[in-house]
Amino acid sequence: MGRAGQAAAITMEDRLKMEPILDIRNLEAGVDNRAILKGINLTILPGEVHAIMGPNGSGKSTLASLLAGREGYQVTQGSVTYLGQDLLALSPEERARAGVFLAFQYPVEIPGVNSTYFLKAALNEVRKHRGLPEVDAIEFLSLVKDRIRLLELNEDLLKRAVNVGFSGGEKKRNEIFQMAVLEPTLAVLDETDSGLDIDALRVVANGVNQLRRPDRSALVITHYQRLLNHIVPDRVHVLMDGRIVRSGGKELALELEDRGYDWIVPTEPVAA
Amino acid sequence: MDANDSPPARLGRFVEPFASVAEVAASDGEPHWMLGIRKAGLARFAEQGLPTLRHEDWRFTNLAPIEALPFRPLPRPQARAVSVADLDRLSLAGMSGLRLVFVDGHFAPELSRIEAVEDKVQVRGLSQTLRADGAWLEQQLACWHEGQDRAFRALNDAYCTDGIVLHVSAGVAVAEPIHALFLSSGIEPGLASHPRNVLVAEANSRVMVIEQYASLGGAATFTNTLTQLVVGEGAQVEHVRFQDEGPEAFHMGALRAVVAGSAQLAAHSFALGARLSRQNIGLTLAGPGLEAILNGLYVTTEKRLADHHMVVDHAQPHCASHEYFNGILSGQSRGVFHGRILVRPDAQKTDAKQTNKNLLLSNSASVNTKPQLEIYADDVKCSHGATIGQLNPESVFYLRTRGLPVETARRMLIHAFAGEIIDRVQCGPVRQALDRLVWDRLERDAQVRLDAAAPHS
């Protein structure tokens, strides 16, 4: 499978030896017989951060939803392989336990479900899957306090119901906070930057960067380039009308910021 | 309304046992005036019979199954004793403090704990009070007008045998909740009990009362309970009615409260059991500047029905009344909610709010809800609303994307919905006990749903 650009530190030879974290091949999917994704190819290797940019309606959020397992989409063609297994065959909770995390574009308010209780239950599900014992209360508290500082959130939120009464920025930071606690192998950030002011953006980006490891990857979906100043991607892909029409290094994002999307004329699908 | 029906033929079974019940009561030393109340009640009942679906207040709750049931009030307690071990199996068994246990409508002193009554607090059974403090009780029983539950009130007048009588003197704060447990032995269909509870909290007193209704056996029994509550000026009263009778039981409950100025009343109704249950709640806000909360949760499964019907009468200015009722319905069960807030011309600055939210967990469950405001004052803040919905799929998905199994996610959300109501119970131990109980019940019901239907994901 060819690539349109060259990733910096890793040679082509290294790449071929690595098992991808995520491998999307010729993915076609839609809702109610309406095609949205029209043949996506995308391979993310361990340690890589990929960015997907594109105009509204190009299919960015559909891709994120599909990866997380949201109901209501039909996959008509292609495959999604996560660490060697068929991701699409797994339920949302199985994906989460296997290490896939979606930071929601619109985090859901869940009145009456306490944040700490919820997060502890979630962490224990993930740990159970990894063959680890449940965390005890003290361990858990010290972990969440550490991570909550990373996101510069008020500890008070742990006592509140999930996302209830949170500001827009707090909700987004709370997503990354959850991610920092659950330590996923593949983080999918769906427009995490939307609605964030520049300070919050920096905090969120810092949180994501702190979690970067050679064995973890991220797919950052964004409308704007500015997030990518802070979370520097290895690869940038442009999604238009359900296809990746261009891929490149981080400089591609700058070019998009400069020139918009109009100069890219979707022609033949490009292998990513 | 049902002039064409012939009451005696249709209602004979409700009239027949009267002679023996009245005779036994009188021979046990009941004051003569009580017989007058009983007879008058019986006459009123015979005149009207049970309400039918043609009555506006009973449109959605069909009482025909009660009419079809044998009617067996027990003049005397049954010989078969309920043991303390039986009680330990019930929820709320671990509560400390005073406990009055009634079995099939009769006080069971051997199962009760009433030794440690505080000074200036009277806690007794109705039957005992009739004999010991008849004049006071006669006054209390006399001062109640009728509501939409008049048939059941009449029946209760005729057949009440016992109940909790509580009198808290002015300024006294009762430390621990007082627990009244009404048990149906449930060994015979049609066993009927008519608890009559009289609760009086005088000015600036403070007390919490829990009425718990439960069944030991599974027969189709009939409970018709009526609680009269007087909340004195500045008093703080918390009242819980926790109806958890057996799956074949019929439960008619009424709470009639008159609340004086500056008082605070929180009245909670939890309806978790019975095949058919109805709570009639009538609240008269009789003095200025008081706060009343009516708070309720009904959880129904299979083919059961839970009905809440309430009238809040704002007769005085500067009062706040808030009603919050949540229903969780699965199977083919039904919920009925009717809340009426009446704001009289003098009740300026009324702050009245009414919310009824329903969660339907199956396609065949249903709810009839009717929040109603009737306002005759012009400077008031009133709102009402009702919702009927399902679990938000986006919330379920959100929890699943964090690794929680779909059933856990659903239960968490259902529990949270119930928690909105449970959290309003002010007394910590009671709140925690109810929370555990509702959670256990949801777990069990979830199991029922899983067993009954193909797994859903």
Side-chain angles (χ1 to χ4, degrees):
Chain A
M1 181 159 109
R3 283 183 160 270
Q6 191 77 32
I10 303 170
T11 67
M12 186 57 80
E13 227 164 89
D14 290 335
R15 287 179 166 283
L16 293 172
K17 278 187 277 182
M18 280 186 183
E19 182 189 40
I21 289 206
L22 186 72
D23 194 9
I24 302 178
R25 303 230 173 164
N26 193 29
L27 181 65
E28 293 182 16
V31 174
D32 300 332
N33 295 323
R34 188 168 57 88
I36 298 174
L37 301 182
K38 301 169 181 172
I40 303 269
N41 288 293
L42 179 66
T43 303
I44 301 180
L45 295 178
E48 288 184 340
V49 171
H50 286 226
I52 290 197
M53 302 184 70
N56 288 332
S58 57
K60 301 191 299 292
S61 283
T62 296
L63 180 61
S65 294
L66 264 175
L67 293 177
R70 191 191 295 274
E71 283 172 15
Y73 295 93
Q74 297 93 42
V75 173
T76 48
Q77 185 79 257
S79 66
V80 179
T81 308
Y82 168 75
L83 293 177
Q85 52 186 330
D86 177 7
L87 187 70
L88 300 178
L90 303 180
S91 67
E93 55 270 37
E94 288 167 332
R95 298 179 198 201
R97 293 173 205 152
V100 177
F101 181 93
L102 171 65
F104 279 56
Q105 182 179 4
Y106 303 108
V108 184
E109 290 189 14
I110 308 191
V113 175
N114 172 271
S115 291
T116 305
Y117 170 71
F118 152 68
L119 199 52
K120 191 167 176 225
L123 179 61
N124 280 331
E125 289 292 345
V126 170
R127 287 176 64 91
K128 196 160 76 185
H129 181 82
R130 293 176 189 162
L132 299 168
E134 295 202 343
V135 279
D136 67 41
I138 297 165
E139 264 179 295
F140 180 69
L141 211 63
S142 91
L143 172 69
V144 293
K145 285 192 172 173
D146 178 65
R147 299 301 147 92
I148 212 159
R149 269 193 298 273
L150 179 65
L151 274 304
E152 297 179 23
L153 280 162
N154 192 332
E155 273 182 29
D156 199 45
L157 84 76
L158 291 170
K159 294 183 197 136
R160 294 193 270 165
V162 179
N163 290 323
V164 176
F166 290 26
S167 71
E170 278 178 324
K171 284 181 184 169
K172 294 300 183 80
R173 274 188 282 165
N174 189 34
E175 293 293 286
I176 306 304
F177 162 62
Q178 291 177 19
M179 175 179 138
V181 171
L182 299 176
E183 302 189 313
T185 304
L186 175 66
V188 180
L189 276 53
D190 188 7
E191 306 215 10
T192 298
D193 51 335
S194 67
L196 288 186
D197 63 30
I198 190 69
D199 292 327
L201 189 75
R202 222 176 272 135
V203 170
V204 162
N206 180 48
V208 173
N209 288 332
Q210 297 268 340
L211 296 168
R212 288 181 79 159
R213 300 276 188 285
D215 57 344
R216 294 184 198 156
S217 302
L219 180 61
V220 179
I221 292 171
T222 178
H223 200 70
Y224 302 103
Q225 181 270 337
R226 58 173 196 167
L227 178 66
L228 305 180
N229 287 336
H230 302 282
I231 305 174
V232 180
D234 298 297
R235 307 279 302 157
V236 175
H237 311 281
V238 179
L239 188 64
M240 287 179 90
D241 191 27
R243 292 184 183 93
I244 289 177
V245 294
R246 189 163 298 235
S247 295
K250 59 178 188 259
E251 62 292 339
L252 177 56
L254 289 167
E255 202 170 355
L256 289 167
E257 182 76 357
D258 223 26
R259 300 173 64 186
Y261 292 108
D262 293 344
W263 60 280
I264 301 173
V265 184
T267 47
E268 283 300 290
V270 180
Chain B
M1 204 178 255
D2 299 338
N4 297 333
D5 302 336
S6 145
R10 205 159 50 83
L11 302 171
R13 78 179 70 209
F14 292 102
V15 175
E16 235 162 60
F18 183 75
S20 71
V21 169
E23 189 190 317
V24 167
S27 73
D28 284 355
E30 192 173 274
H32 187 68
W33 55 263
M34 188 64 203
L35 182 62
I37 289 183
R38 293 186 185 284
K39 280 184 169 164
L42 187 74
R44 289 200 316 279
F45 181 78
E47 217 171 274
Q48 60 192 306
L50 292 177
T52 68
L53 296 175
R54 276 173 285 169
H55 291 71
E56 179 60 25
D57 287 336
W58 294 87
R59 274 174 63 199
F60 302 109
T61 301
N62 185 0
L63 300 175
I66 295 181
E67 214 163 69
L69 210 62
F71 181 72
R72 297 191 179 114
L74 294 174
R76 286 220 166 88
Q78 293 198 90
R80 177 190 175 275
V82 172
S83 70
V84 176
D86 288 330
L87 301 190
D88 288 344
R89 292 203 310 269
L90 297 169
S91 43
L92 305 186
M95 284 189 43
S96 59
L98 299 185
R99 180 172 75 186
L100 288 84
V101 180
F102 301 85
V103 180
D104 295 326
H106 294 276
F107 183 51
E110 72 282 5
L111 301 173
S112 302
R113 258 193 327 250
I114 49 169
E115 301 80 29
V117 181
E118 284 152 84
D119 225 20
K120 298 184 174 174
V121 179
Q122 293 260 21
V123 187
R124 284 188 294 216
L126 179 92
S127 157
Q128 195 199 345
T129 314
L130 276 169
R131 286 153 189 82
D133 201 358
W136 179 81
L137 193 57
E138 185 179 12
Q139 265 183 347
Q140 297 301 326
L141 292 177
C143 67
W144 294 84
H145 59 87
E146 297 192 321
Q148 3 79 6
D149 54 334
R150 52 186 188 273
F152 292 102
R153 156 90 194 264
L155 207 55
N156 188 288
D157 275 357
Y159 285 107
C160 64
T161 42
D162 226 324
I164 172 173
V165 176
L166 170 70
H167 186 184
V168 183
S169 299
V172 175
V174 181
E176 285 194 281
I178 296 171
H179 184 190
L181 172 59
F182 300 89
L183 279 177
S184 291
S185 64
I187 47 175
E188 215 186 328
L191 274 184
S193 59
H194 301 268
R196 182 63 159 266
N197 306 307
V198 178
L199 312 174
V200 178
E202 289 195 1
N204 302 311
S205 64
R206 199 159 72 189
V207 67
M208 177 177 197
V209 178
I210 303 161
E211 293 177 26
Q212 179 181 7
Y213 296 82
S215 310
L216 289 175
T221 53
F222 173 50
T223 301
N224 173 27
T225 182
L226 170 57
T227 297
Q228 312 179 174
L229 169 63
V230 177
V231 182
E233 189 148 332
Q236 294 175 32
V237 173
E238 184 162 27
H239 179 268
V240 173
R241 175 166 287 165
F242 171 44
Q243 184 277 107
D244 195 22
E245 295 201 63
E248 296 301 323
F250 295 91
H251 181 101
M252 293 289 130
L255 171 67
R256 315 226 133 261
V258 174
V259 189
S262 310
Q264 289 176 20
L265 168 66
H268 315 277
S269 169
F270 291 86
L272 269 63
R275 171 173 160 196
L276 184 158
S277 75
R278 160 94 164 208
Q279 296 297 339
N280 288 299
I281 301 168
L283 203 55
T284 303
L285 309 185
L290 65 85
E291 281 176 42
I293 292 175
L294 292 181
N295 185 46
L297 174 70
Y298 42 99
V299 180
T300 58
T301 57
E302 294 167 32
K303 291 185 171 175
R304 305 200 186 122
L305 179 146
D307 180 347
H308 280 87
H309 199 109
M310 66 211 68
V311 179
V312 177
D313 185 348
H314 278 262
Q316 293 284 330
H318 294 281
C319 291
S321 75
H322 292 166
E323 293 169 39
Y324 308 94
F325 278 77
N326 283 10
I328 299 171
L329 303 104
S330 57
Q332 292 162 271
S333 68
R334 292 202 294 133
V336 181
F337 175 88
H338 187 167
R340 176 166 165 244
I341 298 175
L342 171 63
V343 182
R344 295 186 187 269
D346 289 341
Q348 300 294 0
K349 303 285 181 190
T350 286
D351 175 1
K353 193 159 96 181
Q354 183 177 205
T355 312
N356 174 228
K357 299 203 284 185
N358 295 283
L359 188 56
L360 299 188
L361 299 177
S362 83
N363 290 332
S364 15
S366 65
V367 169
N368 293 97
T369 176
K370 186 176 172 191
Q372 202 182 346
L373 281 171
E374 212 172 302
I375 303 172
Y376 300 100
D378 49 19
D379 184 13
V380 300
K381 199 173 98 187
C382 295
S383 67
H384 64 171
T387 61
I388 300 173
Q390 294 167 329
L391 285 179
N392 179 359
E394 189 64 12
S395 303
V396 177
F397 177 60
Y398 187 82
L399 296 174
R400 294 177 76 189
T401 63
R402 301 307 185 241
L404 300 174
V406 61
E407 270 306 315
T408 305
R410 288 170 58 87
R411 255 171 309 191
M412 261 189 193
L413 295 171
I414 297 167
H415 187 234
F417 183 76
E420 293 176 9
I421 300 301
I422 298 168
D423 285 348
R424 286 199 192 87
V425 175
Q426 290 150 20
C427 173
V430 175
R431 183 177 61 241
Q432 284 148 23
L434 284 168
D435 190 56
R436 262 196 312 278
L437 189 81
V438 170
W439 177 257
D440 288 349
R441 197 56 54 85
L442 293 172
E443 295 263 313
R444 197 188 71 188
D445 293 347
Q447 205 50 51
V448 169
R449 284 198 304 280
L450 281 181
D451 293 346
H456 162 106
S457 90

